Amino acid sequence: MVRGKQRFPDLLRFFKMTNGTDDSPSRLANFLTPTSLDRFLSEYYDNVPLHVSADDAASDRQELMDSATVSALLRNTVHWPEPGLKLVANGQSIASAHYHSLRELANGAQQVPNADLIEGLMRMGATLIIDGLEDRVPPLRRLCEALGRQFAAKVGVNLYASQSGVAGFASHCDPHEVFAVQCEGEKVWRIYANRADRPVSGTILRDQQAIDRAKGPVAYEIRMQPGDLLYIPRGYYHDALATGGSSLHLTFGVQPLYGLAIFDLLRDLARNDTRIRAYFPSANDGSRLEQHLDQIAEIVADLIRKPGLREDIAVKQRLLAGRGSAEPTSSSDRIFSRTGLRAHVEQPSSGSVLVLGGKREPAGFLSDAAHWALSQSSFTSFQIEARFAHHPRGEVNALLDLLLKHGAFVEQRPN
């Protein structure tokens, strides 16, 4: 692998901030170019694969990562969580003992990844996989945040690097949307005709023989070159092979919420209903048990239609997507001090409410921020903005104004 200067400063030009505003739309436009976002959503998203060639438009996708940056990352792996960096060959994981070595650290000797051992195994045909790059490379995090806001989803980015024509993984499908960007070298992707029906992690086939029977014939064979983008909707079986020489690509996994999440959210709302907390009648009395289950079904159906559940889903989506704004924190910090006004947050199924003295105000999606604020004797604007960055800055400011208006807090200016 080529060693060289880390390219994070160069990458930043792909994600320029303009006057402190959130430029997520322009990031996505650059990422998908020349396919427009509207066309992508209407024709391809959760529907069919899409290959976008770098030859079709002047795109900076190729600049997202290079081998010099990978080498720099490998030499900064002391505190890398072990599952986040691994090597595979012919679909099988290589034991970490083959690329870890003992190193004396501040808190004692530990086995940590060794960059020279990793690069040596890669020369022998291993594929390097680094997970969670969004937590290590700020420009990639910005793109993940833009994707997360667009699709109300959790987004992560993984790196795959190999130095010879080998397949890192056998045929498989993913339980999330896949956006693959070829950064160096070439790789041939095969996408098969059959698609698993909206898989989640627990429904994905694990047996390779069963996968080979299920995937069907090859529907697309795509040779990815630097700057190319490949979108694969969840459930499509696929595999990839580097075609001689080194290959480096990034995979962005986009995972929106799906229906099973509702059961965890309903639990918190339903526990407030005394009828839900009642014991089940004995199954020996079939008619009473049936009546009880019918009653629960009506309660749950009513909860699903209530604003409280929609609020919980919206907040969960915001948390998955990450920061709600690319704006810098306030240049002039405000200080808020609690008064003696009795105030609290209620979260009934009808929607979150701020109870401020004798007044009730809807809390909207900010019940978490409001609850935290009311539990503090004092706090600053930067504290609440940083803790609840998944909420848009304007909504947080509106909450602060509401707390001031009703006298729950008084504002002090720093000296």
Side-chain angles (χ1 to χ4, degrees), residues 212-231:
D212 290 339
R213 290 192 298 269
K215 66 185 183 183
V218 174
Y220 309 89
E221 185 166 295
I222 299 163
R223 182 177 296 271
M224 293 278 285
Q225 297 181 347
D228 283 11
L229 170 70
L230 178 62
Y231 165 68

Side-chain angles (χ1 to χ4, degrees), residues 166-189:
V166 296
F169 288 100
S171 299
H172 66 283
C173 71
D174 293 299
H176 51 256
E177 309 301 300
V178 171
F179 294 83
V181 177
Q182 191 71 22
C183 299
E184 291 183 353
E186 295 184 355
K187 183 162 282 190
V188 173
W189 291 70

